[in-house]
Amino acid sequence: MSSSNFQRKRPVARDRKGNPSIDAMTTFQGTAMCDLFVRNATVVTEERTFDGGISVSNGRIDELVVGQRDIAAARQIIDASGLLLLPGLVDAHVHFSEPGRGHWEGFETGSRAAAAGGITTFVEMPLNAQPATIDAAALVMKKAAAKQSHIDYALWGGLVDDNLDDLADLRRGGVVGFYRERHCRGGGRGLAGAT
């Protein structure tokens, strides 16, 4: 017997990221328990807008529900009547300024504020921190500070005049790309003139 309690209406179509497309709808057929069912929302996707909801298991959306169909076996049900259900936003330019300047805004408070505004992922800028994220040692400190984040994140590596030899280490360390401020010079190893 299959462990799945969902029966597909037709083969699963996938979008360009490999996720099931909207047209790969499922019909609930049994007692499989999802963690969360959001129903009666106006669902907005890249492809279209429709009445329906989502089911969530293990922290991931596992079904887009088209129409007013109920899923009885859910640990939590949210009635989103009159509300929009949108994909989470990505902010590719945030300044949480840690390590060293967390009093400006750090990962803990900044990620909470981002989540409250619908942002589910951010990319943190490299040059406001002390030290700036321009070499492997600074990246280790940045990653330690980022563990406080309440949402997904990625890190930019800083590009300054005198850190070309550090770029490979930053890339191996996991930065998603490199960012350079026009007014930043390598001699200061970070944001010029900032205190």
Side-chain angles (χ1 to χ4, degrees), residues 115-140:
I119 294 170
T120 58
T121 303
F122 64 85
V123 188
E124 211 275 334
M125 300 302 288
L127 300 175
N128 273 11
Q130 285 186 331
T133 311
I134 58 174
D135 58 34
L139 181 59
V140 168

Side-chain angles (χ1 to χ4, degrees), residues 88-125:
L89 302 174
V90 176
D91 187 340
H93 188 123
V94 302
H95 292 272
F96 292 159
S97 304
E98 280 191 293
R101 290 192 170 107
H103 60 285
W104 287 2
E105 181 170 47
F107 283 96
E108 200 279 328
T109 57
S111 65
R112 279 183 186 264
I119 294 170
T120 58
T121 303
F122 64 85
V123 188
E124 211 275 334
M125 300 302 288

